[in-house]
Amino acid sequence: MTISTGRTPQAAVGAESGSGAVSALLPSDVPVRLIDADGAAHRDSRYPLPAGDLLLEAYARLVAGRRINDQANALVRQGRLAVYPSSHGQEACQVAAAAVLETRDWLFPTYRDSVAVISRGVDPLQVLTLLRGNWHSGYDPYEHRVAPQATPLATQLLHAVGVAHAAKLKGEDTVVLALCGDGATSEGDFHEALNFAAVFHVPVVFFIQNNEYAISVPLKNQSVAPSLAHKAVGYGMPGERVDGNDVAALLSVLGAAVQRAREGGGPALVEAHTYRMQAHTNADDATRYRSAEEVQDWVPRDPLVRTRSYLRGLGLLDDAREEELAQAAEEIAAAMRNGLNTDVDPDPMALFEHVYTARTTQLREQAELLRGELERDAAERDALAPGATGATGATGNSGTAGASR
Ligand SMILES: Cc1ncc(C[n+]2csc(CCOP(=O)(O)OP(=O)(O)O)c2C)c(N)n1
């Protein structure tokens, strides 16, 4: 099928409708592609190839995204970040997810989607705050209309549907784009989100980055559906499959789904076929469950290489422009290093902030326990300090939680 505007899935799958209406919701047999791996244009009568200037802009974000991924990995190795789920190899999905949205729209990302969040305009240092483990989230979700990156799988899909439903009730033309991985499609929350979205016809686009693995679990052990996009028809919404390493195809397919949702067409499900080139996180050894040959097979399909070849073929990219883009990406990486090399001294008591509006009895008890421990520690430290005259009772933290010193 083609995700086009104006379709009403509910009507299409009504009891009296024929198999043609159902097949109209089905994804194409092969993922949509507009640029081949060698950089040649690949014609598709259903989806237009985005203009060169848009692709050049996307390429700049791809270059920055790759550099951000590599820098974040290095910061993990230096102990400056606690963890980083890299999207190396998936940057086209990340960049396109942000690019198809308007300022008034909402993005609901997962832990793997830092580059999408940064592409939407959030400062990389704010994005990495969570992964540094020293504060709940480094950015204000309302400022950029980006929900906090969700670690519990698929929970963000329900939140996304809620926001989209609210926008519809308020008569706003906001669209919500919700990201998830292939593994997350096995969660009950995935089902609930898609079903509610379809029944209430809300303006949400579900975007699955199928990178073949859920940590060590390959897709074949996760689902035997013809594709993850095929699941859409069961809910009565259109599904589409797209080459997840082709930023042009992603922009076109996701753009059509977003436009359709904005015009009242309801939800859609898009599955991008991509590959996680690196380990799940630094806490994972990917060599234990997949071969080097398998990973190597994906190298020629790299999203940056193909976009670069295409743009060079058009004469829109040359060495000088490449150098400028690399330099701009290097500046982002330097800011990440500088920012993360500054030590912070967060207040452990801040753990209890922003959990509930009013603290539960259990949380109050836990907070008191921690306060007692911190006070005892501080007293012991003071007593051991040379020339100590007694305990101060302070926790050792005077500033605002999460503030840099
Ligand atoms: C509800 C829930 N169950 C289990 C986990 C542990 N977990 C973290 S990541 C992950 C794999 C997710 O795979 P996928 O959805 O394909 O996303 P990817 O990491 O590949 O981007 C699992 C099982 C979790 N975070 N949340």
Side-chain angles (χ1 to χ4, degrees):
M1 58 75 58
T2 310
I3 295 177
S4 59
T5 55
R7 177 172 294 132
T8 50
Q10 285 82 351
V13 293
E16 70 287 356
S17 63
S19 61
V22 174
S23 66
L25 300 181
L26 288 170
S28 49
D29 287 341
V30 289
V32 176
R33 190 193 310 150
L34 298 177
I35 299 178
D36 288 328
D38 63 2
H42 186 104
R43 271 191 58 78
D44 187 307
S45 55
R46 302 158 304 162
Y47 292 98
L49 190 59
D53 57 333
L54 282 181
L55 290 176
L56 190 58
E57 206 178 306
Y59 180 66
R61 292 192 190 284
L62 289 176
V63 171
R66 175 65 51 87
R67 188 67 190 91
I68 289 163
N69 276 323
D70 291 349
Q71 183 59 66
N73 280 335
L75 287 161
V76 169
R77 290 195 293 275
Q78 292 160 14
R80 286 292 173 183
L81 274 182
V83 68
Y84 184 70
S86 174
S87 62
H88 185 119
Q90 299 177 220
E91 290 94 345
C93 295
Q94 303 278 306
V95 165
V100 294
L101 297 179
E102 301 288 339
T103 311
R104 64 187 181 285
D105 295 333
W106 272 90
L107 180 73
F108 277 74
T110 76
Y111 50 86
R112 195 168 304 288
D113 303 318
S114 297
V115 169
V117 177
I118 294 167
S119 298
R120 181 124 170 98
V122 184
D123 185 318
L125 283 175
Q126 293 185 349
V127 174
L128 296 175
T129 299
L130 177 76
L131 300 169
R132 201 177 188 187
N134 65 5
W135 187 231
H136 302 275
S137 170
Y139 57 89
D140 173 1
Y142 289 94
E143 191 186 339
H144 294 278
R145 295 204 159 203
V146 178
Q149 288 178 261
T151 298
L153 303 178
T155 51
Q156 75 283 1
L157 304 181
L158 291 164
H159 306 157
V161 170
V163 168
H165 188 44
K168 186 183 169 189
L169 293 177
K170 285 193 264 180
E172 297 168 355
D173 70 345
T174 307
V175 175
V176 180
L177 190 144
L179 291 148
C180 74
D182 42 287
T185 64
S186 295
E187 292 287 339
D189 284 358
F190 174 83
H191 161 73
E192 291 175 32
L194 269 74
N195 196 52
F196 189 103
V199 170
F200 289 91
H201 204 59
V202 306
V204 60
V205 175
F206 300 101
F207 180 31
I208 306 169
Q209 285 172 83
N210 170 6
N211 64 9
E212 302 273 345
Y213 287 91
I215 313 184
S216 57
V217 180
L219 185 64
K220 67 174 170 15
N221 292 355
Q222 195 77 245
S223 171
V224 291
S227 80
L228 297 175
H230 277 83
K231 290 176 185 253
V233 70
Y235 298 102
M237 69 175 79
E240 189 57 286
R241 310 169 69 190
V242 55
D243 184 327
N245 288 13
D246 175 358
V247 78
L250 284 156
L251 287 169
S252 205
V253 169
L254 286 173
V258 166
Q259 191 193 342
R260 177 179 175 279
R262 198 179 312 285
E263 291 171 359
L269 176 65
V270 175
E271 175 189 12
H273 293 265
T274 182
Y275 194 75
R276 197 192 73 218
M277 295 302 286
Q278 299 178 335
H280 174 74
T281 65
N282 45 305
D284 170 43
D285 176 3
T287 63
R288 295 184 62 170
Y289 54 82
R290 63 185 194 183
S291 67
E293 292 74 38
E294 182 186 308
V295 180
Q296 199 54 36
D297 264 2
W298 280 85
V299 171
R301 296 182 241 180
D302 187 275
L304 274 74
V305 173
R306 101 171 49 178
T307 318
R308 179 187 303 135
S309 308
Y310 175 74
L311 290 169
R312 279 192 171 259
L314 283 188
L316 289 172
L317 193 62
D318 57 15
D319 290 348
R321 184 83 181 110
E322 284 264 32
E323 183 52 39
E324 280 169 24
L325 297 181
Q327 190 51 42
E330 206 45 57
E331 281 166 23
I332 299 172
M336 287 166 68
R337 287 194 301 274
N338 292 339
L340 289 168
N341 280 335
T342 309
D343 283 328
V344 290
D345 188 11
D347 180 357
M349 291 306 294
L351 263 179
F352 300 97
E353 287 171 25
H354 306 296
V355 183
Y356 293 105
T357 311
R359 240 170 237 187
T360 60
T361 312
Q362 249 187 347
L363 273 187
R364 274 202 303 275
E365 285 169 8
Q366 289 170 10
E368 282 322 302
L369 269 175
L370 181 61
R371 188 188 306 284
E373 274 182 36
L374 293 170
E375 283 174 359
R376 274 195 303 283
D377 283 355
E380 276 173 25
R381 265 200 313 277
D382 286 353
L384 290 172
T389 54
T392 63
T395 62
N397 285 280
S398 52
T400 309
S404 305
R405 287 198 175 161

